[in-house]
Amino acid sequence: MQRVPTLLPIPIVRSSSNPFLLSYVLLFAAIAVVTDTVVTGTVASAQTVLTVDRALAIARENNPRFGIADRGLTGAQSSRRELIQQRLPRVSFHGNAVYAPTFPSFGYDPALTNGGQIGAQVMIEHLLYDGGRRDLRLDQSGIDIDLIGRERLLMERDLRLNVELAFNDAMHARDEVALREVNVQQLADYLRLVETMYAGSLVGLTDVLKTRVRLSDARLALDDAHNAADTARFALAELIGLPFDTLVSVAGRLDSLADVGMFDPAANPDLAAVDLAVRRSQIEVELARRENSPTVSLLADAGALTSVQNITLPRSERSSVVGVSAGVTVDIPILNWGITDLRVEQRQIAVDTLRLQADLLRRSLMRQNVELHARIARGRDRLVLIRATIADAEQNFLLTKSKYAGGGGSALEVLDAQQLLADNRLAELQTLAELQVLIARLERLTTP
């Protein structure tokens, strides 16, 4: 934003013979200069100048989706550690005290209750075999962690693309303002020439009027370009999370066209994420198949266990209360009426669906790659042609203007020549902006 220097009223000194009055004028002028410097410096410091990398860094900091993804990754890693810890035996303490009195006409059968039970035991339980389901879930948790990492990478690539597109829009709008300012300046210079020639009765009033109309249209177009530039800057500030009242300006050039590598399906994050989803679904199929696998567990305990009847006996007649026990439990499903087969069928359908989607995505990405490369090549060829045309249009405008100043040609020819030059400059800017969009989309596709 350019600022017009502050002009303060300075008293007119008609004679320098009065030293006090001269000092007053010099002091007043110094105050005006300092005031303008301070105000201008304040406006400049309030501006936020952004490069595309700086804009992307701010967008990352202000985007809550990355924090959500990081917490999701932390949760997946915690779930994997839980599965690893489940490989270890479970150790627990079990204590109980039960009293079951027996009377001649009331109470439980003493052969079953022994008057109650008192125990304090340390128990160990360890799963020896579950058909491999625990290992499959561990593999699945590793895939979940990789999937979250891929999704975060894709999120960052999408954010970069959106920031680059908004940044390119801001650069395009900024450069269009500059071109239209040049256009207005050319027409203003030409209008002064026409008015001078009209004052000398060398041209008619129609030449002046035509030029004024064209200059007025150019100023209106410049005003629209300023509005578009403000809108693009506000959109960029909103996207990256800056306050809406932040004055943003972009630093970059549209004519800096980067070279982009070729598309490699094996390194594409979108395809890699789909492949991981397929592998995860395949594990779901295998888990469903192993639902009918037997489960073998080891149980052991050590501690004190006795009955109330035992501890009421004399010490010499009591049985030992301290001991150990160990055993193995086996759980074998026999019949679940085909539920397992139905689950396997459902999960296999999901796997097949994901594979078809992966094939469709792969074909779509390969088509996009070919299309983007072709459009970029055509855009570069178009840019070369437009720039050659601009050189001819500049020479044509100068020659036509010189011819008109020498008394030959017409004002309409000069205005048409200037319009041709302005249109081709705008066409060059539009082509550069379109190329930047195509290159940004291709980078998102080809960057591993």
Side-chain angles (χ1 to χ4, degrees), residues 208-266:
V208 178
L209 297 177
K210 290 176 184 177
T211 308
R212 285 179 180 175
V213 170
R214 191 66 63 87
L215 178 59
S216 178
D217 291 341
R219 285 172 174 164
L220 290 174
L222 175 59
D223 188 62
D224 292 339
H226 277 294
N227 291 333
D230 292 340
T231 300
R233 290 197 298 269
F234 289 143
L236 177 61
E238 178 184 7
L239 176 64
I240 65 179
L242 289 177
F244 297 112
D245 57 349
T246 304
L247 187 59
V248 171
S249 63
V250 292
R253 296 175 54 185
L254 280 175
D255 58 355
S256 57
L257 302 177
D259 294 327
V260 185
M262 296 301 296
F263 175 67
D264 182 10

Side-chain angles (χ1 to χ4, degrees), residues 210 227 229 285 297 326 343:
K210 290 176 184 177
N227 291 333
V285 174
S297 299
R343 287 176 180 167

Side-chain angles (χ1 to χ4, degrees), residues 26 59 65 311 317 319 330 344 371:
L26 293 177
R65 294 178 61 191
I311 61 175
E317 299 179 10
S319 301
V330 180
V344 170
E371 180 182 352

Side-chain angles (χ1 to χ4, degrees), residues 132-441:
R133 292 193 293 271
R134 185 170 51 190
D135 293 336
L136 287 173
R137 292 191 182 95
L138 194 61
D139 293 340
Q140 196 175 55
S141 68
I143 293 176
D144 289 338
I145 293 174
D146 291 341
L147 264 175
I148 294 175
R150 293 289 180 180
E151 290 172 356
R152 195 185 191 286
L153 176 61
L154 290 173
M155 190 188 309
E156 181 153 351
R157 285 156 61 95
D158 290 338
L159 179 64
R160 183 175 188 86
L161 175 62
N162 293 332
V163 170
E164 286 181 347
L165 293 180
F167 197 87
N168 289 338
D169 287 342
M171 288 195 298
H172 183 194
R174 176 203 63 190
D175 293 349
E176 183 174 348
V177 169
L179 285 181
R180 293 197 181 278
E181 286 176 345
V182 171
N183 188 30
V184 169
Q185 187 61 48
Q186 285 180 340
L187 289 172
D189 293 342
Y190 178 61
L191 178 60
R192 284 192 291 269
L193 172 63
V194 174
E195 289 175 340
T196 301
M197 295 179 68
Y198 173 70
S201 300
L202 298 177
V203 298
L205 180 60
T206 57
D207 289 358
V208 178
L209 297 177
K210 290 176 184 177
T211 308
R212 285 179 180 175
V213 170
R214 191 66 63 87
L215 178 59
S216 178
D217 291 341
R219 285 172 174 164
L220 290 174
L222 175 59
D223 188 62
D224 292 339
H226 277 294
N227 291 333
D230 292 340
T231 300
R233 290 197 298 269
F234 289 143
L236 177 61
E238 178 184 7
L239 176 64
I240 65 179
L242 289 177
F244 297 112
D245 57 349
T246 304
L247 187 59
V248 171
S249 63
V250 292
R253 296 175 54 185
L254 280 175
D255 58 355
S256 57
L257 302 177
D259 294 327
V260 185
M262 296 301 296
F263 175 67
D264 182 10
N268 182 265
D270 296 276
L271 293 175
V274 175
D275 290 339
L276 285 173
V278 171
R279 287 172 50 194
R280 191 185 190 285
S281 295
Q282 289 174 334
I283 293 179
E284 290 286 347
V285 174
E286 194 61 30
L287 282 171
R289 285 199 181 104
R290 300 191 186 187
E291 285 182 359
N292 290 332
S293 300
T295 301
V296 181
S297 299
L298 172 66
L299 300 176
D301 63 75
L305 182 63
T306 185
S307 64
V308 173
Q309 185 180 20
N310 183 49
I311 61 175
T312 58
L313 295 174
R315 181 182 298 272
S316 60
E317 299 179 10
R318 292 178 191 171
S319 301
S320 173
V321 300
V322 178
V324 297
S325 68
V328 175
T329 63
V330 180
D331 183 13
I332 303 177
I334 296 177
L335 179 64
N336 65 356
W337 307 105
I339 293 177
T340 297
D341 294 336
L342 291 174
R343 287 176 180 167
V344 170
E345 181 181 352
Q346 295 169 20
R347 284 159 175 73
Q348 187 61 51
I349 291 174
V351 171
D352 296 339
T353 302
L354 282 175
R355 283 175 175 166
L356 292 174
Q357 291 175 348
D359 291 338
L360 288 174
L361 178 61
R362 184 175 288 103
R363 293 172 61 184
S364 174
L365 294 178
M366 293 179 69
R367 177 194 59 78
Q368 292 179 34
N369 174 63
V370 174
E371 180 182 352
L372 288 171
H373 274 289
R375 292 180 63 184
I376 289 173
R378 287 195 299 270
R380 290 181 184 273
D381 294 340
R382 175 182 172 84
L383 189 61
V384 172
L385 179 61
I386 291 175
R387 285 175 172 172
T389 305
I390 288 175
D392 294 338
E394 288 177 344
Q395 186 176 5
N396 177 58
F397 173 62
L398 294 175
L399 291 175
T400 306
K401 186 177 178 181
S402 299
K403 181 180 177 181
Y404 179 79
S410 65
L412 188 58
E413 290 178 345
V414 179
L415 293 175
D416 288 343
Q418 193 278 334
Q419 186 65 46
L420 179 64
L421 175 59
D423 289 344
N424 278 278
R425 284 174 173 169
L426 289 173
E428 178 192 22
L429 180 62
Q430 181 65 31
T431 303
L432 285 171
E434 291 174 355
L435 280 172
Q436 289 288 0
V437 171
L438 294 174
I439 290 174
R441 294 187 181 279

Side-chain angles (χ1 to χ4, degrees), residues 48-181:
T48 301
V49 181
L50 295 176
T51 63
V52 65
D53 291 333
R54 176 59 181 157
L56 184 61
I58 296 175
R60 285 198 200 98
E61 293 173 1
N62 295 330
N63 195 321
R65 294 178 61 191
F66 288 96
I68 295 173
D70 292 339
R71 284 165 176 76
L73 179 60
T74 302
Q77 292 171 342
S78 176
S79 177
R80 179 174 176 80
R81 289 194 298 270
E82 177 187 354
L83 290 172
I84 293 175
Q85 295 298 324
Q86 287 179 1
R87 290 174 173 269
L88 302 176
R90 294 182 58 186
V91 180
S92 60
F93 170 79
H94 177 70
N96 68 312
V98 179
Y99 177 56
T102 301
F103 302 99
S105 61
F106 178 80
Y108 294 129
D109 186 350
L112 298 177
T113 64
N114 286 324
Q117 188 180 74
I118 298 175
Q121 299 166 285
V122 175
M123 310 186 72
I124 300 176
E125 182 179 359
H126 182 52
L127 180 65
L128 298 178
Y129 178 75
D130 66 347
R133 292 193 293 271
R134 185 170 51 190
D135 293 336
L136 287 173
R137 292 191 182 95
L138 194 61
D139 293 340
Q140 196 175 55
S141 68
I143 293 176
D144 289 338
I145 293 174
D146 291 341
L147 264 175
I148 294 175
R150 293 289 180 180
E151 290 172 356
R152 195 185 191 286
L153 176 61
L154 290 173
M155 190 188 309
E156 181 153 351
R157 285 156 61 95
D158 290 338
L159 179 64
R160 183 175 188 86
L161 175 62
N162 293 332
V163 170
E164 286 181 347
L165 293 180
F167 197 87
N168 289 338
D169 287 342
M171 288 195 298
H172 183 194
R174 176 203 63 190
D175 293 349
E176 183 174 348
V177 169
L179 285 181
R180 293 197 181 278
E181 286 176 345

